Every structure is written in C-alpha cells, then in structure tokens.
Amino acid sequence: TGVRMLVDGGPDRSVVRELPKLMGPLQKTIDVMIETHPDKDHIAGLADVLETYEVKNILGPGLPSDTNVYGRLVSTVESEPGIQSYLARTGMRIHLGGGAYADVLYPNKDVSRLKATNDASIVLRVVYGQTSFMLTGDMASTIEDEIVREVSIEDLESDVLKVGHHGSKYSTSDLWLQAVSPSVAVISAGRGNTYGHPAPEVLGRIEKQGARILSTMDQGTITLVSDGAHVVEK
C-alpha cells in the first residue's frame, strides 16, 4: 500500500544505507517510526533517519534516558516540524493499509520510572491477511509472562517471532514460545558478540518448539515477505 513503518534503527547510521534497498532511492517518506526502548543498539540510527527522511509519526514507550544517543534523538525530533509523537500503549492499532495493521501488546502502563530499559520494550504484532509477525524489542521473560496472562492466544499466535533481546537466556521462555507458536524464529545478533547471544538454552527451547531458526550472525540481512497467505524468505 505504500505505507511504511520502521521499527528501531540499529547501533549506527548504517540504517540509512539499508533503507534505500527496500524503499527505493526516490522514496523519502516513512509514515511510522517506532523506538522500542532507548538502548543505543536500537535507536542510534533513528536520528539519521529523521535527518534523511520525512517521518510523519513516531511512537515510543515513554522511558527517557540520559545518554547522548537518546538526547540526540529527542532534539532531532523536536527540530523536525510536523512530526506527531505518541506513547505506545496496549490496545493501540496502527493501520498500515490493505487490511494490514500492527497491534501494540506492551507497554500496558507508565514505564517512565523503570530502571531496566528492556522492560519498557514496545511489543508489536504485525498482521497481514492470514500471516503475522511478533516483534519484541529486548523484552524479558517476566514481561512475556505478563503478556501471556493478559492477551488471548489468538492475538499472540504468529508465523514469525523476532526473538527477544538478541537471544538472551532471560527471554523467549517455553511459555512464550507455546503461546506465540511461531514457524520461524529470527534472531538479530552480531557474529562474535561479547554477550554470547544467542544463548544455547534459547536455541534449545526454540528447537523444541519446532520453529525454524534464522540468525543475522549466520546470514546477515534477513528478508521475509508476506502475500497475506504465506510468508517466504527472500
């Protein structure tokens, strides 16, 4: 439909080199930008996106940070006229055209005083036709459990799961995997990262669930495309 939503911007400005490959070099509008939470590895490239593209709307969890990266993002948003800023909260639906939409499953409360930035992560379920994608930011298992208690199974089941927190052992519990029941699990983690992501126990839980694992540390950029009936890897 030509409606474009960008979720997070990575640890540096490489996002502005990658976007033209997806959008085309002449497309300069992003309808919705999502800042899942204020950690540098998720937002550092967003200020560069704002300076390069016309961004119409930005959603964040409402958790401030005293880092230089977050300060730059805030000042860039304030300097760009016409951007509408919103707090993401459970129950919000972002309409993407053609029947596609993204539902906000979390945060369900004020997260502005949280100490753990990961616990503020925006969780989105993107739906197009009969297909769906679960995007989790750096959500930990404590928040997974909270969502499972509060959201019906039919609103959790997804074909594709973006594995929480780069495959950290503190995310992607058995309960969460059973509720989401993905056929594909995508892990965003750098090769040779010092955190040991993805954790072997997470890989084991995903394999037990029966989902196919795709990892950026093995494959680089991963592109999944839906026609509303099936999801295929490009």
Side-chain angles (χ1 to χ4, degrees):
T1 63
V3 178
R4 300 177 182 88
M5 179 174 70
L6 174 66
V7 181
D8 284 343
D12 53 42
R13 71 183 318 274
S14 60
V15 61
V16 296
R17 296 195 300 271
E18 294 298 319
L19 281 173
K21 300 175 185 177
L22 295 171
M23 296 172 52
L26 301 181
Q27 300 293 341
K28 292 296 182 181
T29 300
I30 294 175
D31 298 275
V32 184
M33 172 188 285
I34 309 289
E35 170 231 330
T36 61
H37 63 297
D39 286 358
K40 178 183 177 180
D41 61 325
H42 287 255
I43 67 165
L46 292 182
D48 296 287
V49 173
L50 286 163
E51 292 171 351
T52 307
Y53 291 86
E54 178 190 354
V55 177
K56 296 181 179 179
N57 303 280
I58 183 167
L59 275 75
L63 176 64
S65 171
D66 59 4
T67 64
N68 292 335
V69 168
Y70 184 78
R72 181 186 173 215
L73 174 59
V74 171
S75 63
T76 306
V77 170
E78 292 174 346
S79 68
E80 296 289 331
I83 295 180
Q84 297 295 314
S85 296
Y86 301 92
L87 285 177
R89 291 293 181 265
T90 303
M92 294 177 66
R93 174 166 289 185
I94 304 166
H95 292 279
L96 302 171
Y101 58 88
D103 282 341
V104 178
L105 304 185
Y106 190 85
N108 59 2
K109 55 183 176 283
D110 180 7
V111 295
S112 61
R113 297 181 181 275
L114 288 181
K115 298 298 184 184
T117 55
N118 291 341
D119 289 347
S121 289
I122 295 174
V123 178
L124 294 171
R125 181 172 181 261
V126 182
V127 178
Y128 175 46
Q130 301 304 308
T131 65
S132 50
F133 299 72
M134 185 70 74
L135 309 180
T136 58
D138 276 354
M139 175 177 62
S141 291
T142 52
I143 306 302
E144 294 172 355
D145 294 348
E146 192 173 333
I147 294 174
V148 171
R149 288 195 301 268
E150 296 180 357
V151 179
S152 63
I153 290 298
E154 57 265 30
D155 291 330
L156 291 177
E157 290 180 339
S158 303
D159 299 285
V160 179
L161 169 66
K162 200 287 291 182
V163 173
H165 200 187
H166 318 284
S168 162
K169 65 181 180 181
Y170 301 110
S171 299
T172 319
S173 67
D174 285 323
L175 178 66
W176 178 246
L177 285 166
Q178 290 165 11
V180 178
S181 188
S183 56
V184 177
V186 178
I187 301 173
S188 174
R191 182 174 297 176
N193 68 84
T194 58
Y195 300 98
H197 296 156
E201 48 264 62
V202 170
L203 297 176
R205 291 196 289 265
I206 296 171
E207 289 170 354
K208 183 174 70 173
Q209 178 64 32
R212 178 188 176 202
I213 298 173
L214 303 177
S215 172
T216 59
M217 65 190 300
D218 297 324
Q219 299 174 239
T221 298
I222 294 169
T223 304
L224 297 170
V225 178
S226 168
D227 62 2
H230 304 94
V231 177
V232 297
E233 183 182 4
K234 293 291 189 180

